[in-house]
Amino acid sequence: GQNIDQPTEMTATEGAIVQINCTYQTSGFNGLFWYQQHAGEAPTFLSYNVLDGLEEKGRFSSFLSRSKGYSYLLLKELQMKDSASYLCAPLTGGYQKVTFGTGTKLQVIP
Amino acid sequence: GAVVSQHPSRVICKSGTSVKIECRSLDFQATTMFWYRQFPKKSLMLMATSNEGSKATYEQGVEKDKFLINHASLTLSTLTVTSAHPEDSSFYICSARDRGLGGETQYFGPGTRLLVL
């Protein structure tokens, strides 16, 4: 089976930096996706990490440690529109399935 | 960036009827597409993996005769909910894998809200 662990909710202030952590236990790990999902909408692709280390993409950065089964998403210069759920999703197995946990609901406050 | 479209965006149908949902990758070829379902405030649940030119692979507990998947081309996959019942009411989202020069990416369509009366 697979286990994905993220905080359920987080609150951060507009303009600040927030780090959303994710630990996972999977079999046949290939890489890890991060998605953003606003309420009532489909997920939007943010990043995909295969190798260990930090990948930066504008205000969003994602880090992966394969040996520790750990990843985080770093959001800088938070904006109100960043209020959403953030989904950590490992890509696993021969069929390369992406599976999701319940995600982290981030609320950005003024 | 790559775009995945889904049609229809919303559908209301009577119990017992069948509903077809289309998923298209608009500017890339997707040998693999995925169908997810999401209930309110719940996580996305993978229903099946759709492979172009072959049978879909269904997740445990998903009835293959009820949720018919066809991946007729590299840009189109369809999900048909047969003999729909109220408990099938949900948000259905397709996803397509792009293994382009930019690396591995998986994009989601905008989803289809199904309400079965």
Side-chain angles (χ1 to χ4, degrees):
Chain A
Q2 303 191 57
N3 190 35
I4 302 164
D5 193 26
Q6 295 177 243
T8 306
E9 294 181 346
M10 297 182 73
T11 302
T13 306
E14 191 176 14
I17 299 173
V18 71
Q19 178 173 312
I20 302 174
N21 295 320
C22 170
T23 56
Y24 58 89
Q25 294 171 320
T26 66
S27 56
F29 180 82
N30 295 300
L32 189 135
F33 287 98
W34 280 96
Y35 287 91
Q36 178 191 63
Q37 187 177 26
H38 285 98
E41 298 181 11
T44 303
F45 171 81
L46 293 177
S47 66
Y48 177 65
N49 291 64
V50 176
L51 303 175
D52 286 356
L54 183 69
E55 291 205 8
E56 298 184 65
K57 199 182 281 187
R59 293 191 299 116
F60 293 2
S61 301
S62 55
F63 171 85
L64 177 67
S65 169
R66 296 176 69 114
S67 61
K68 294 182 180 177
Y70 169 69
S71 175
Y72 67 74
L73 181 69
L74 193 70
L75 292 78
K76 303 175 185 175
E77 301 170 15
L78 280 173
Q79 301 175 10
M80 298 300 290
K81 67 179 182 178
D82 296 331
S83 294
S85 288
Y86 290 86
L87 311 174
C88 161
L91 178 65
T92 62
Y95 285 110
Q96 300 204 341
K97 299 187 296 187
V98 178
T99 52
F100 294 86
T102 52
T104 298
K105 187 175 181 180
L106 173 68
Q107 184 181 15
V108 180
I109 57 176
Chain B
V3 176
V4 176
S5 71
Q6 230 177 295
H7 178 79
S9 57
R10 287 178 185 273
V11 59
I12 301 173
C13 68
K14 292 183 179 179
S15 186
T17 60
S18 294
V19 175
K20 180 187 277 190
I21 304 170
E22 290 189 351
C23 176
R24 294 180 186 273
S25 57
L26 297 184
D27 53 2
F28 66 99
Q29 293 183 330
T31 53
T32 308
M33 290 185 174
F34 303 87
W35 287 95
Y36 291 83
R37 185 162 75 172
Q38 188 174 36
F39 292 105
K41 297 186 179 180
K42 298 293 184 183
S43 61
L44 286 150
M45 297 300 298
L46 179 64
M47 299 174 66
T49 301
S50 170
N51 299 295
E52 188 267 337
S54 65
K55 292 183 180 180
T57 305
Y58 290 81
E59 294 300 299
Q60 194 171 14
V62 178
E63 300 175 59
K64 60 181 67 177
D65 293 332
K66 181 167 183 63
F67 299 100
L68 300 178
I69 291 171
N70 184 280
H71 195 151
S73 75
L74 288 172
T75 59
L76 173 64
S77 176
T78 60
L79 168 69
T80 302
V81 183
T82 63
S83 187
H85 288 98
E87 58 265 29
D88 297 324
S89 300
S90 188
F91 189 37
Y92 291 86
I93 314 172
C94 74
S95 183
R97 183 76 50 76
D98 181 10
R99 295 191 172 96
L101 294 176
E104 187 90 31
T105 317
Q106 184 162 322
Y107 298 100
F108 283 81
T112 297
R113 293 205 177 278
L114 172 63
L115 177 61
V116 185
L117 303 176

